[in-house]
Amino acid sequence: MARPEPISRRDRPAKPPLSRAAILDAAVEVVHRDGAAALTMRRLASELDTGPASLYVYVRNTTELNALLIDRYLSELDLSWDGREPWRERLQRVVDDYAGLLASQPGLASAALTTWPDGPHYLDLLELLMRLLDEAGVDIETAARGVDLLLQHATASAAEWAAHATPTGQDLADLTETLDAATAERHPSLHRAGSTVFTSGTPDERTRWATTAIVNGILASGSEHPHR
């Protein structure tokens, strides 16, 4: 019985070379198609027709992958400022845009809670916020801490509301039921306030209120010159 003819490797289509950019392109495709929760190194390796070990040459682990991926998504934001738009309005707009971007990808928003983005677009975001707070007259150390606080809150808000939007997440009816259980005897302040004061307002309205409160606190904490 004749042996089967071996198949030459040259008959197979050449695989595109691996690179960090190619890995991120594949990661974006997985997130777009199946959500951030589906993104793993093994899944990426399958998408790229390679073994997981090959990916670690370019990306150390899933944490670094998420950091790079978040930065890739930040490229969708408008991070420019020509100085004509008032600093407070521009700051509110970029924080809104950042929170909205993360909220559109629940898994990515959750990853951003514990992962610093890694790349030039993250630096562009920090640069813009620092410029805006400098325009407001905030000293550089207070501005740096203020930027951290603004992004922490926007990220947490995005992750919270994104989680509520999933089929298995809680909704405001759950919170309302919990708050309505407050009795005048044990929780007099909560009972007197009522649940509505805690649940009213859209996510956008609540995020804007929080941003205003944080910025006012930053302004009160330190400034080099009068607020402009």
Side-chain angles (χ1 to χ4, degrees), residues 203-228:
D204 286 346
E205 290 171 343
R206 296 175 73 87
T207 298
R208 290 192 188 102
W209 182 91
T211 301
T212 299
I214 293 171
V215 169
N216 288 343
I218 293 169
L219 294 175
S221 297
S223 61
E224 294 180 319
H225 41 76
H227 304 155
R228 302 169 189 169

Side-chain angles (χ1 to χ4, degrees), residues 81 83-91 130-140 215-216 219 222-228:
W81 184 53
R84 288 182 291 183
E85 184 177 9
W87 71 264
R88 189 184 281 270
E89 293 178 17
R90 183 66 185 96
L91 188 148
M130 289 292 288
R131 284 181 62 204
L132 292 168
L133 290 178
D134 177 66
E135 178 68 15
V138 179
D139 69 83
I140 195 165
V215 169
N216 288 343
L219 294 175
S223 61
E224 294 180 319
H225 41 76
H227 304 155
R228 302 169 189 169

Side-chain angles (χ1 to χ4, degrees), residues 147-191:
V147 166
D148 186 47
L149 183 59
L150 281 165
L151 293 181
Q152 279 186 10
H153 181 270
T155 303
S157 295
E160 178 186 11
W161 289 104
H164 290 329
T166 62
T168 57
Q170 293 177 304
D171 58 32
L172 284 180
D174 298 314
L175 177 58
T176 298
E177 184 178 354
T178 298
L179 292 170
D180 285 342
T183 64
E185 295 74 26
R186 184 168 180 172
H187 308 107
S189 297
L190 291 177
H191 183 76

Side-chain angles (χ1 to χ4, degrees), residues 73-81 85-103 121-133 146-147 150-155 158 204 207-208 211 215:
Y73 273 93
L74 291 179
S75 68
E76 300 177 15
L77 296 181
D78 173 14
L79 299 176
S80 62
W81 184 53
E85 184 177 9
W87 71 264
R88 189 184 281 270
E89 293 178 17
R90 183 66 185 96
L91 188 148
Q92 183 67 68
R93 184 159 64 88
V94 71
V95 171
D96 287 348
D97 290 346
Y98 170 79
L101 177 70
L102 291 184
H121 304 107
Y122 176 56
L123 297 180
D124 291 343
L125 174 60
L126 298 183
E127 173 71 17
L128 173 59
L129 291 171
M130 289 292 288
R131 284 181 62 204
L132 292 168
L133 290 178
V147 166
L150 281 165
L151 293 181
Q152 279 186 10
H153 181 270
T155 303
D204 286 346
T207 298
R208 290 192 188 102
T211 301
V215 169

